[in-house]
């Protein structure tokens, strides 16, 4: 699914959100969003630290940090966070996030956000469910998805120079 809202009155604003699911894994969600024209805000790692400080100790015990770092994806500088969550109903889920801050009034440098999560009930409401993918499978899937994020071509000349497939040797 993709949600595109157009037109915006401000030419420095653009927003696209894409959702994807995996056949046979209704608890797994993938979201890629691009938002230009957003106000500057704390980064992913800073927001995570602020949230963790406010959580009661017993809540912090449910979360295990798998990844927490700055990460560049194909020239795009961002921050990455991955968590394992053990719920009160004995289920385990995973949350992977990568975000690039972008520049406030530049549609060519938007805030980018990539998310992968599992253990989410496929319908609204209700308790979390056990992830249908193992931790190793989630880590592998995350690497494949994250490493595919690329800067889009911004003009016709650039688009023509990008080959549709690798040349055969």
């Amino acid at each position: 699914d993709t949600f595109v809202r157009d037109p915006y009155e401000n030419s420095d604003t653009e927003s696209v959100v894409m959702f994807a699911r995996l056949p046979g894994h209704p608890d797994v969600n993938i979201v890629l969003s691009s938002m230009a024209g957003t106000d500057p805000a704390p980064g992913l790692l800073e927001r995570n630290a602020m949230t963790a400080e406010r959580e009661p100790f017993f809540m912090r015990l449910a979360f295990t940090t798998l990844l927490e770092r700055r990460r560049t994806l194909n020239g795009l500088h961002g921050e990455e966070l991955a968590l394992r969550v053990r719920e009160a109903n004995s289920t385990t889920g995973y949350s992977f996030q990568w975000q690039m801050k972008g520049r406030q009034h530049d549609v060519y440098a938007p805030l980018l956000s990539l998310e992968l999560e599992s253990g989410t009930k496929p319908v609204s409401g209700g308790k979390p469910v056990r992830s249908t993918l193992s931790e190793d499978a989630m880590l592998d899937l995350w690497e494949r998805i994250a490493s595919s994020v690329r800067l889009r071509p911004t003009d016709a000349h650039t688009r023509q120079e990008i080959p549709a497939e690798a040349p055969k040797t």
Side-chain angles (χ1 to χ4, degrees), residues 102-119:
R103 291 188 296 267
Q104 185 175 3
H105 297 292
D106 186 348
V107 293
Y108 296 107
L111 173 119
L112 287 178
S113 178
L114 176 64
E115 300 175 43
L116 168 66
E117 60 182 26
S118 70

Side-chain angles (χ1 to χ4, degrees), residues 24-145:
H25 300 280
D27 67 302
V28 177
N29 297 307
I30 304 164
V31 180
L32 175 65
S33 62
S34 169
M35 294 172 278
T38 59
D39 291 331
L44 176 63
L45 300 181
E46 184 179 346
R47 291 192 322 272
N48 182 61
M50 291 186 307
T51 300
E53 286 176 4
R54 292 190 304 255
E55 294 293 337
F57 181 71
F58 73 91
M59 288 289 292
R60 284 185 253 159
L61 291 175
F63 293 85
T64 302
T65 301
L66 304 174
L67 300 167
E68 185 176 22
R69 62 189 179 188
R70 296 190 188 286
R71 181 172 182 192
T72 300
L73 301 175
N74 296 307
L76 302 170
H77 304 290
E79 298 177 340
E80 178 178 51
L81 178 66
L83 303 170
R84 177 190 324 115
V85 183
R86 296 211 192 274
E87 299 284 350
N89 67 356
S90 299
T91 64
T92 300
Y94 299 93
S95 172
F96 293 80
Q97 297 177 56
W98 176 85
Q99 286 186 353
M100 180 182 85
K101 280 188 173 185
R103 291 188 296 267
Q104 185 175 3
H105 297 292
D106 186 348
V107 293
Y108 296 107
L111 173 119
L112 287 178
S113 178
L114 176 64
E115 300 175 43
L116 168 66
E117 60 182 26
S118 70
T120 324
K121 192 165 179 93
V123 293
S124 292
K127 296 180 180 179
V129 298
R130 181 172 303 283
S131 176
T132 58
L133 295 174
S134 69
E135 186 169 312
D136 287 341
M138 287 295 293
L139 285 162
D140 183 53
L141 180 59
W142 175 248
E143 279 306 310
R144 290 171 183 254
I145 293 169

